[in-house]
Amino acid sequence: MTGRPRTFDKDAVLRMAMRAFWERGYDGVSVAQVCAEAGIAAPSLYAAFGDKEALFEQACALYTEHLDEDLERDLSAPAARAAIERLLRSAAEHFTAPGQPPGCLVMGEPRLTERRDRTRDMIRARLRRAAAEGELASAAEADGVAAFVDTVLSGMAALARDGADRNRLLDAARFAIRAWPA
Amino acid sequence: MTGRPRTFDKDAVLRMAMRAFWERGYDGVSVAQVCAEAGIAAPSLYAAFGDKEALFEQACALYTEHLDEDLERDLSAPAARAAIERLLRSAAEHFTAPGQPPGCLVMGEPRLTERRDRTRDMIRARLRRAAAEGELASAAEADGVAAFVDTVLSGMAALARDGADRNRLLDAARFAIRAWPA
DNA sequence: GACGTTGTTTATTGGTCGTTACAGAAGGAA
DNA sequence: TTCCTTCTGTAACGACCAATAAACAACGTC
């Protein structure tokens, strides 16, 4: 029993919703707006994705899919300093990607604290490994560097949303790397 | 003709509104919520402050009153490096002030791009002065440092809102200062 | 063809939003 | 007192919000 087939592209609608949440945040996007942009009626959207929170979660999953891959790839560099350098450079590029909203969906959304914490945990873990391998002086120093990297990352997302171009963000990343312990 | 006197403390209500906007942002605060917390009816609030946007502007003016003073005081240090160091330290303390919402009303509010740009202009101006005085290599270098400082400042506000304590922010500020050109 | 399932359409629900009309209350001035 | 002005309380406005009920349409299967 297959029933009547869906008349719209579910993935395409999810991409539209992701983009809307990325640009204006959870509270800034109404279900009616997504429906209007997608050209579908509300019951179709509710049937396909569930309520607004469920739609938001699926949009976030789509957003973070590629993002987590990039993060792990960057952090996998043999030297921690190079890993952070790559991380910050990737972030500058992602936050200013042409054809996409500026900034970061995760960094800009107040309700995604948990997901931000996960990213921060990954960064801190990578830097503690660097401390264990002798690349940093101590675990305490590693946590300090981690707090600094988290700060720069969040700040770059904020600057991008305020209209900073890619070079400004790359400048910030370049200067941040200077702070690496000698 | 004085008319009937006001029965509530206008400044106290404005402080409540400022705190609410600080915690939850413009869209996260409803006029009804402010009225309930203040114990007044909507027409009283509208008569005293105008519409929601006017209330928000007055709350912002109250918030930035002390903030602009602090910024100018910090930036007035003779050495630019010391000025930035003081600025970041003050920010860490302000963003985690006990009894106040974490983070920054201006940094957290999407619609206050203009006011953030003003702060950034002040920082950039201070650093260009440093370049003119020989403390930095060039105006281009000054702009790079300015982008970096803006990033750290915005990032510290974001971390504070996510629950980072004062020491984490001070760690970040301390490491940021390390990036200062030798 | 009829049946069961699923998607679409229209219209509506109860709720909250920002804002205001209106009538009454509290002050000073005549 | 009577007037004028300003504030307060109640009640309501239209607009938008997220979410759904009900009727109809399109598919595979029988």
Side-chain angles (χ1 to χ4, degrees), chain A residues 7-76:
Chain A
T7 61
F8 59 91
D9 184 342
K10 186 175 172 182
D11 292 339
V13 172
L14 188 58
R15 280 194 298 271
M16 289 182 205
M18 179 191 75
R19 191 184 177 89
F21 287 130
W22 191 348
E23 284 172 342
R24 308 192 295 280
Y26 182 85
D27 290 323
V29 175
S30 75
V31 173
Q33 287 172 346
V34 176
C35 289
E37 191 184 357
I40 63 177
S44 296
L45 188 140
Y46 280 93
F49 300 102
D51 64 8
K52 187 184 177 184
E53 289 219 12
L55 173 65
F56 180 71
E57 282 174 18
Q58 292 167 71
C60 283
L62 176 63
Y63 178 83
T64 54
E65 185 182 349
H66 317 88
L67 213 64
D68 283 345
E69 294 172 7
D70 292 358
L71 179 61
E72 289 178 16
R73 176 175 46 75
D74 291 335
L75 287 182
S76 71

Side-chain angles (χ1 to χ4, degrees), chain B residues 83-145:
Chain B
I84 298 302
E85 197 166 359
R86 281 209 249 168
L87 169 67
L88 294 181
R89 182 170 294 268
S90 294
E93 289 166 0
H94 172 70
F95 295 164
T96 59
Q100 283 182 332
C104 174
L105 195 162
V106 175
M107 296 289 185
E109 185 55 53
R111 67 176 55 203
L112 293 181
T113 312
E114 193 179 317
R115 203 172 277 272
R116 285 192 289 277
D117 284 343
R118 266 211 285 137
T119 299
R120 287 168 185 150
D121 287 343
M122 291 177 66
I123 293 173
R124 189 167 52 237
R126 179 65 187 87
L127 291 171
R128 283 187 179 169
R129 201 188 95 193
E133 291 170 350
E135 196 177 348
L136 289 175
S138 65
E141 169 119 322
D143 287 359
V145 175

Side-chain angles (χ1 to χ4, degrees), chain B residues 143-181:
Chain B
D143 287 359
V145 175
F148 172 65
V149 171
D150 297 342
T151 300
V152 173
L153 207 54
S154 299
M156 283 169 57
L159 254 67
R161 185 159 298 198
D162 276 354
D165 63 15
R166 178 167 292 183
N167 283 332
R168 280 268 288 282
L169 265 56
L170 288 173
D171 270 350
R174 192 158 45 84
F175 278 89
I177 287 296
R178 287 196 192 177
W180 193 269

Side-chain angles (χ1 to χ4, degrees), chain A:
Chain A
M1 295 298 177
T2 49
R4 177 175 179 173
R6 185 178 287 122
T7 61
F8 59 91
D9 184 342
K10 186 175 172 182
D11 292 339
V13 172
L14 188 58
R15 280 194 298 271
M16 289 182 205
M18 179 191 75
R19 191 184 177 89
F21 287 130
W22 191 348
E23 284 172 342
R24 308 192 295 280
Y26 182 85
D27 290 323
V29 175
S30 75
V31 173
Q33 287 172 346
V34 176
C35 289
E37 191 184 357
I40 63 177
S44 296
L45 188 140
Y46 280 93
F49 300 102
D51 64 8
K52 187 184 177 184
E53 289 219 12
L55 173 65
F56 180 71
E57 282 174 18
Q58 292 167 71
C60 283
L62 176 63
Y63 178 83
T64 54
E65 185 182 349
H66 317 88
L67 213 64
D68 283 345
E69 294 172 7
D70 292 358
L71 179 61
E72 289 178 16
R73 176 175 46 75
D74 291 335
L75 287 182
S76 71
R81 178 180 169 144
I84 298 302
E85 197 166 0
R86 281 209 250 167
L87 169 68
L88 293 180
R89 182 170 294 270
S90 293
E93 289 166 1
H94 173 69
F95 295 164
T96 60
Q100 283 181 329
C104 174
L105 195 163
V106 174
M107 296 288 185
E109 184 57 55
R111 68 176 54 204
L112 293 182
T113 313
E114 192 178 317
R115 203 172 276 271
R116 285 192 290 275
D117 284 341
R118 265 211 286 137
T119 299
R120 287 168 186 151
D121 287 344
M122 291 177 67
I123 294 174
R124 189 168 50 235
R126 179 64 187 88
L127 291 171
R128 284 186 178 170
R129 201 187 95 192
E133 293 170 348
E135 195 178 348
L136 288 175
S138 65
E141 168 119 324
D143 287 359
V145 175
F148 172 65
V149 172
D150 295 342
T151 301
V152 173
L153 206 54
S154 298
M156 283 168 58
L159 253 68
R161 185 158 299 197
D162 276 354
D165 63 14
R166 177 168 291 186
N167 283 333
R168 280 269 286 283
L169 265 56
L170 288 173
D171 270 351
R174 194 158 43 85
F175 278 88
I177 288 295
R178 286 195 191 178
W180 193 268

